[in-house]
Amino acid sequence: MVNEILIAGFGGQGVMLMGQILAHAGMEQDLHVSWMPSYGPEQRGGTANCGVVISEDPVGSPVVTEPTECVVMNLPSLEKFESSVRPSGHLFVNSSLCDQEVKRDDIQVVTIPVTEEADRLGNARVANMIMLGALASCLPNLPFDAIKASLRAVLPERHHQLIPINEKALERGRELYQQQ
Amino acid sequence: MDQDLQLVKGNEAVAEAAARAGCRYFFGYPITPQNELPAYMSWRLPELGGVYLQAESEVAAINMVYGAAGAGVRVMTSSSSPGISLKQEGISYLAGSELPCVIVNMVRGGPGLGSIQPAQSDYFQATKGGGHGDYRMVVLGPSDLQELVDLTYESFNIADRYRNPVMILGDGIMGQMMEPVRFPELLDPQTLPVKEWATTGRGGKRKENNLINSLYLDAEACWEHNQKLGEKYRQMKENETRWEILYEDAEFYFAAYGTTARIVKKALESLRQRGYSVGLVRPISLWPFPDQAFASLAEKARGYVVVEMSMGQMVEDVRLAVGSELPVEFIGTAGGVMPHPSDISDKMETLIREVGGHK
């Protein structure tokens, strides 16, 4: 089984961290993993994305061009990547920042207003963890506890006081996924 | 899970592997896509009692490497394509003066300023001597991050063994991606053998001054020096050639190195699942080029497809190794574009059809 995951959004939304937590969790499950950031003449507030491959076999190209799971955290990312999702794959849309309908009807669409949900938890910056909680729920290879453990491993120690709110956000994401 | 596994970015993996190999001196100048390497060294080496210095230019950095290597320490510099071009004069001097060091090139699209995306278009420069004069250096092309770590560690031993520069040839993807790696143990440079030739002062013990120099004004003396170097390069060929062959009983082969080889492996598996008898020759040392690998397949192989992120460079070495009896086809991408597995397998299917191979 191979998951080729693409996570896209604005710089600063935490899309790189989401990918690193997934890759770390895959590594903890003894799976082959890779993480690859988009890199270019990027700037703060510009678009950023990363590709994560989680596989039972060694990873070929770490560059994800046809994701099985795709997360779009903003409208430019939805416009750019909607067409790339593999048929019957999953598209996770941050509806707080995407006021546009998904046109594809051959993929599973999961819509979550993560900014509002994060505000409700009391910290707008955990929007990415809500989305990660939803995304991880559709990856059977990655137990939810592995995601939580990887959050601790990947997050720099100076931010560890934020782990409880991030865990709460992961769980909220899982709930929202299960409700859909 | 294996407790020693760490999820690390390629550029940082090289840096840590070098530190573990006893490298305590790094001189460089920033350029994308390898900046995480010097950034890592800027805190890691001082932590280990070493020196990190951002030079005023690539030319300055490679000449600082010359100075440190002359003083007998393990030293590294890194850059990406345009920056490596600037270092070529220094590399020639290092080889001419027989100084060991490790140079990392995380290749990006060229020529000129090119792009900042991954490429393999510096193969000629790396393997054929980008600088002047009759010199050679071992060039290693890892294809995943564990191999990048292991070869970086080993490259310091190779450099010291032959008193010669060694190059690690990666690419933008290898520098930027993260993969799980296991690091070798941290080596204390004090435990390394003393380099008797280093210019560290006579200290009241040595009778003669040590001299590090690449200038031989007398033609005969310069010729003798070149013969000595030539013998060293012959020994490198004998001892430092590395390669991997997948499926030694196949009829048709891909040849690819570095990041491209891992993409080719995906194309290879899909072809084999469809019943094609295909394998892969993956040169790991790009110089010395593993001619032996191709010779070992001569009885059975019926054709090759060479895949590179260039307009066709290593393909020339493959043609030299294979000879004119067999078809050697090429497919490449340039400027920072990645080859696609389906284009790679299409190329192989076309070759097999033309040659009339079996499914």
Side-chain angles (χ1 to χ4, degrees):
Chain A
M1 181 168 182
V2 185
N3 293 103
E4 295 188 28
I5 304 155
L6 187 80
I7 307 172
F10 288 126
Q13 279 185 308
V15 299
M16 300 297 175
L17 181 69
M18 291 166 73
Q20 285 178 19
I21 292 172
L22 282 178
H24 192 276
M27 176 177 83
E28 298 241 325
Q29 298 303 305
D30 290 324
L31 294 163
H32 294 273
V33 298
S34 69
W35 173 93
M36 176 77 198
S38 64
Y39 72 96
E42 317 280 15
Q43 58 182 29
R44 220 157 272 156
T47 56
N49 70 73
C50 67
V52 174
V53 182
I54 302 174
S55 171
E56 281 158 11
D57 301 314
V59 177
S61 172
V63 177
V64 175
T65 50
E66 294 162 30
T68 52
E69 288 80 24
C70 181
V71 173
V72 291
M73 294 291 281
N74 63 4
L75 188 59
S77 300
L78 174 63
E79 286 170 342
K80 190 170 176 190
F81 294 114
E82 178 182 343
S83 61
S84 71
V85 181
R86 219 170 289 181
S88 74
H90 282 77
L91 178 63
F92 293 80
V93 181
N94 172 14
S95 53
S96 304
L97 293 177
C98 302
D99 55 356
Q100 189 174 298
E101 289 287 303
V102 174
K103 296 178 200 79
R104 297 272 298 270
D105 58 4
D106 60 337
I107 55 176
Q108 315 271 337
V109 179
V110 181
T111 309
I112 300 180
V114 289
T115 314
E116 280 93 331
E117 288 291 341
D119 276 337
R120 219 166 286 157
L121 290 178
N123 188 339
R125 288 163 67 189
V126 297
N128 62 335
M129 289 299 129
I130 296 176
M131 191 57 103
L132 181 63
L135 169 63
S137 304
C138 88
L139 303 171
N141 276 346
L142 300 184
F144 213 70
D145 285 343
I147 301 282
K148 282 188 182 171
S150 294
L151 168 70
R152 183 170 291 272
V154 171
L155 208 64
E157 231 160 84
R158 63 181 189 278
H159 296 313
H160 274 201
Q161 81 279 8
L162 295 168
I163 284 176
I165 177 96
N166 277 283
E167 286 187 342
K168 215 184 269 181
L170 285 170
E171 276 155 20
R172 181 62 185 145
R174 178 163 61 165
E175 271 171 36
L176 289 163
Y177 176 80
Q178 283 161 352
Q179 284 167 20
Q180 293 217 357
Chain B
M1 187 195 90
D2 184 336
Q3 290 304 315
D4 295 333
L5 272 185
Q6 295 179 45
L7 189 65
V8 191
K9 213 173 193 193
N11 284 327
E12 299 186 339
V14 187
E16 179 60 26
R20 301 237 175 169
C23 171
R24 294 290 177 273
Y25 297 85
F26 182 96
F27 307 97
Y29 187 83
I31 185 169
T32 305
Q34 59 82 57
N35 285 324
E36 295 84 355
L37 200 171
Y40 189 95
M41 286 305 208
S42 72
W43 62 266
R44 182 59 165 147
L45 290 184
E47 182 181 88
L48 292 168
V51 170
Y52 163 87
L53 199 149
Q54 181 174 316
E56 68 269 34
S57 71
E58 287 85 350
V59 177
I62 194 72
N63 285 297
M64 290 173 184
V65 169
Y66 184 105
V73 296
R74 290 194 158 179
V75 54
M76 176 187 246
T77 187
S78 69
S79 192
S80 180
S81 310
I84 294 289
S85 289
L86 288 165
K87 291 184 198 289
Q88 291 303 325
E89 180 199 44
I91 296 173
S92 169
Y93 277 62
L94 282 152
S97 303
E98 297 192 80
L99 290 175
C101 67
V102 176
I103 301 152
V104 179
N105 184 0
M106 291 297 179
V107 182
R108 60 187 243 181
L113 275 176
S115 71
I116 59 174
Q117 305 300 328
Q120 295 181 312
S121 40
D122 296 355
Y123 177 92
F124 282 155
Q125 186 196 54
T127 61
K128 311 294 176 195
H132 60 280
D134 240 340
Y135 78 91
R136 293 293 193 177
M137 63 180 164
V138 173
V139 179
L140 302 170
S143 92
D144 61 44
L145 295 197
Q146 186 62 56
E147 194 172 44
L148 178 65
V149 164
D150 296 343
L151 289 178
T152 300
Y153 197 83
E154 178 60 16
S155 65
F156 285 94
N157 295 330
I158 299 172
D160 281 349
R161 196 175 304 143
Y162 299 98
R163 285 185 61 184
N164 204 64
V166 174
M167 181 173 277
I168 301 287
L169 197 67
D171 63 62
I173 284 192
M174 192 157 285
Q176 293 298 317
M177 73 182 291
M178 284 178 127
E179 235 175 8
V181 300
R182 197 175 288 107
F183 287 109
E185 62 172 321
L186 181 66
L187 203 150
D188 177 358
Q190 301 297 329
T191 62
L192 291 165
V194 175
K195 293 169 180 171
E196 297 293 346
W197 50 263
T199 46
T200 48
R202 275 157 57 173
K205 288 179 211 151
R206 261 196 303 268
K207 289 206 175 90
E208 299 287 319
N209 284 330
N210 279 344
L211 177 65
I212 287 169
N213 174 39
S214 65
L215 177 67
Y216 294 84
L217 284 175
D218 175 36
E220 290 288 331
C222 194
W223 184 37
E224 249 173 61
H225 179 54
N226 270 282
Q227 282 179 313
K228 182 185 166 207
L229 294 180
E231 169 55 22
K232 203 165 75 172
Y233 302 146
R234 194 195 59 73
Q235 284 174 23
M236 288 182 201
K237 266 189 174 173
E238 202 171 294
N239 303 322
E240 307 303 336
T241 312
R242 292 167 164 80
W243 71 88
E244 176 191 39
I245 297 176
L246 289 186
Y247 305 111
E248 304 216 9
D249 56 346
E251 278 187 71
F252 293 87
Y253 283 90
F254 289 109
Y257 72 96
T259 296
T260 306
R262 53 193 293 163
I263 300 170
V264 166
K265 282 180 188 174
K266 289 288 143 182
L268 176 68
E269 292 310 325
S270 91
L271 284 164
R272 288 189 69 87
Q273 275 164 22
R274 283 182 281 145
Y276 288 105
S277 174
V278 288
L280 168 70
V281 182
R282 181 171 73 88
I284 298 170
S285 61
L286 304 174
W287 196 89
F289 192 72
D291 297 325
Q292 307 92 306
F294 295 90
S296 75
L297 299 170
E299 299 270 300
K300 196 107 199 277
R302 298 184 61 202
Y304 286 87
V305 170
V306 182
V307 191
E308 296 176 65
M309 285 191 285
S310 81
M311 295 302 285
Q313 300 195 11
M314 184 181 78
V315 61
E316 294 190 4
D317 285 335
V318 176
R319 287 195 174 121
L320 278 173
V322 168
S324 55
E325 299 290 304
L326 289 178
V328 177
E329 298 292 329
F330 173 75
I331 176 169
T333 54
V337 175
M338 306 260 304
H340 199 277
S342 64
D343 295 334
I344 295 170
S345 50
D346 284 354
K347 188 81 182 174
M348 180 57 91
E349 282 185 88
T350 308
L351 170 69
I352 294 175
R353 205 165 43 240
E354 280 167 3
V355 177
H358 306 291
K359 210 181 174 180

